[in-house]
Amino acid sequence: MAFRSGFVCILGRPNAGKSTLLNALVGEKLAIISPKPQTTRNRILGIIHSEKQKGRSASQIVLIDTPGVHKPDSSLGRKMMVEVQEALQGCDIVLLIVDGSRQFTPSDQFVLEMAKRCRTPVFLLLNKTDLLKGKKQELLGTIDGYRRRFDFREIIPLSARKREGLDLLVHKLIENLPEGPHYFSDDQITDQPTRFMAAEAIREQILIHTEQEIPYSSTVVVEQFEELPKLTRVAATIYCERNSQKGILVGKGGQMLKKIGTEARMQIQKMVGMKVFLELFVKVQPGWQDSRQFVDELDWRRQLENLAGKPDRTKGREA
Ligand code: GDP
Ligand code: MG
């Protein structure tokens, strides 16, 4: 049987469980997770490699996790939606993921329209079925409602958090992928540079430990990432928008920054497999979310492009 491969875009509203699904399918923490909107701000590649098995071809599924679909009101929001559009371009299958425990709303219709416009097969994933135990009728009703709205290639109820329903999903993905090349080497599971994942690990701790507008007003830039023989040195700056936010991020006697730093350091240590020395700074950059230039500079793909002086090859494929 031929080798099958392709690009699969995970699309959905904020909080549907896209990043949880990516991590569960790849079996590694590639994307940060939180119940707060804007947790995912970039598209994130995760690669599933599978060997030839009984009745199954060997395959490579390139998943693309995306920011939640929303109406943007800042440069950052617009950039996030561009990330979604770029992920959809040229993908082979769209996974439209919804929170199966919630009612259909106009926002769901908006995302559904985006999926339809791709003209690729669309799988509907009804996530969070763990919240629907004993409510089978409700789930069947939701499935029925969706079925009337669009001719989905597959409708699969699952729980990304409990890892239920994933085998069936992978099976159906492989079945629907075309014959294709190895897009990535067999040991590669993401395209994200480690230093960007380190920045995300710090941002995840900000999402966990701060409230209100602070998670949305913050971003993290890794200024130094030096891998020494026995130690990785990381220096990063947390940007926020106001002095009052800086006060909260630093905390009384530096307590908050210490907490964020300690937990992020442990995460980064897991990632690099060695001791990490992490230095964190907090800076105020008023209105950064509305600065197109600042937002563009945060994009690691663009940073790499500028360094290499050539176009981004992860954006799509040559026909
Ligand atoms: P995203 O914004 O679509 O990427 O969503 P995340 O993956 O960040 O998840 C949003 C929230 O939903 C987090 O609190 C997750 O733990 C939670 N979540 C994701 N999948 C499931 C699931 O299958 N069941 C339940 N109960 N919660 C889930
Ligand atoms: Mg996400």
Side-chain angles (χ1 to χ4, degrees):
M1 250 176 294
F3 188 81
R4 288 172 185 260
S5 61
F7 286 65
V8 175
C9 178
I10 308 176
L11 178 73
R13 292 173 54 195
N15 219 30
K18 298 176 291 301
S19 300
T20 307
L21 179 70
L22 175 84
N23 291 347
L25 286 172
V26 178
E28 290 278 342
K29 183 159 177 186
L30 299 180
I32 61 170
I33 311 273
S34 97
K36 296 174 182 162
Q38 278 204 25
T39 301
T40 309
R41 288 177 175 163
N42 299 75
R43 61 189 194 281
I44 299 174
L45 252 62
I47 303 143
I48 314 178
H49 306 268
S50 58
E51 301 286 325
K52 193 168 170 177
Q53 282 177 16
K54 222 177 14 185
R56 250 195 213 183
S57 336
S59 65
Q60 190 174 83
I61 308 172
V62 185
L63 296 159
I64 316 171
D65 179 22
T66 62
V69 172
H70 67 291
K71 293 213 165 74
D73 59 1
S74 65
S75 286
L76 175 65
R78 282 187 287 280
K79 167 77 176 145
M80 284 161 64
M81 293 311 292
V82 168
E83 290 281 302
V84 179
Q85 292 298 347
E86 287 184 351
L88 285 171
Q89 269 166 31
C91 72
D92 299 282
I93 299 172
V94 172
L95 297 179
L96 176 62
I97 176 167
V98 301
D99 181 339
S101 68
R102 294 195 168 209
Q103 296 289 325
F104 190 87
T105 66
S107 307
D108 292 299
Q109 185 65 38
F110 184 77
V111 189
L112 177 58
E113 295 301 328
M114 279 177 80
K116 282 185 189 175
R117 280 197 297 273
C118 292
R119 304 191 178 283
T120 55
V122 180
F123 288 16
L124 175 69
L125 307 182
L126 295 158
N127 190 30
K128 311 199 184 183
T129 51
D130 53 296
L131 301 176
L132 284 170
K133 293 277 183 255
K135 295 186 184 164
K136 197 165 176 206
Q137 282 312 318
E138 217 170 283
L139 183 63
L140 291 176
T142 310
I143 292 177
D144 209 44
Y146 270 102
R147 200 169 264 146
R148 275 184 267 125
R149 287 191 169 91
F150 185 61
D151 185 17
F152 294 98
R153 179 66 61 94
E154 298 285 343
I155 299 184
I156 304 175
L158 51 81
S159 167
R161 186 190 274 177
K162 305 262 178 201
R163 298 173 186 239
E164 288 165 3
L166 304 187
D167 284 348
L168 176 68
L169 170 59
V170 171
H171 188 81
K172 293 288 178 191
L173 282 173
I174 296 171
E175 222 175 73
N176 282 277
L177 282 178
E179 277 183 31
H182 287 77
Y183 290 108
F184 293 90
S185 64
D186 284 344
D187 55 0
Q188 193 173 353
I189 56 165
T190 189
D191 66 338
Q192 297 178 94
T194 316
R195 61 184 291 155
F196 177 75
M197 291 177 77
E200 289 287 274
I202 298 162
R203 207 163 58 76
E204 184 174 48
Q205 294 306 321
I206 299 171
L207 282 156
I208 291 171
H209 294 294
T210 66
E211 297 300 329
Q212 288 161 4
E213 86 288 4
I214 295 179
Y216 320 114
S217 299
S218 304
T219 190
V220 177
V221 175
V222 167
E223 319 277 2
Q224 183 199 14
F225 191 90
E226 197 183 351
E227 292 179 281
L228 303 168
K230 288 192 180 152
L231 173 84
T232 299
R233 291 180 84 91
V234 184
T237 303
I238 301 171
Y239 287 94
C240 57
E241 297 193 297
R242 286 201 295 276
N243 256 322
S244 58
Q245 296 167 346
K246 177 173 174 175
I248 293 168
L249 281 162
V250 173
K252 262 204 191 97
Q255 280 298 321
M256 177 60 91
L257 197 60
K258 195 169 170 198
K259 188 152 64 179
I260 291 170
T262 305
E263 289 179 35
R265 178 170 53 77
M266 291 192 293
Q267 291 291 324
I268 302 168
Q269 277 177 182
K270 269 194 224 158
M271 237 183 264
V272 295
M274 69 166 96
K275 208 168 139 77
V276 167
F277 179 72
L278 174 65
E279 258 185 307
L280 282 182
F281 305 92
V282 183
K283 282 188 192 157
V284 180
Q285 177 81 24
W288 70 261
Q289 290 193 59
D290 276 313
S291 157
R292 182 149 169 221
Q293 191 193 345
F294 191 91
V295 168
D296 277 348
E297 280 168 11
L298 291 173
D299 181 347
W300 65 260
R301 289 186 174 90
R302 203 183 161 105
Q303 290 165 19
L304 288 184
E305 227 173 89
N306 288 344
L307 277 177
K310 53 185 179 203
D312 178 0
R313 285 190 296 129
T314 61
K315 259 185 195 158
R317 287 160 290 160
E318 278 80 26

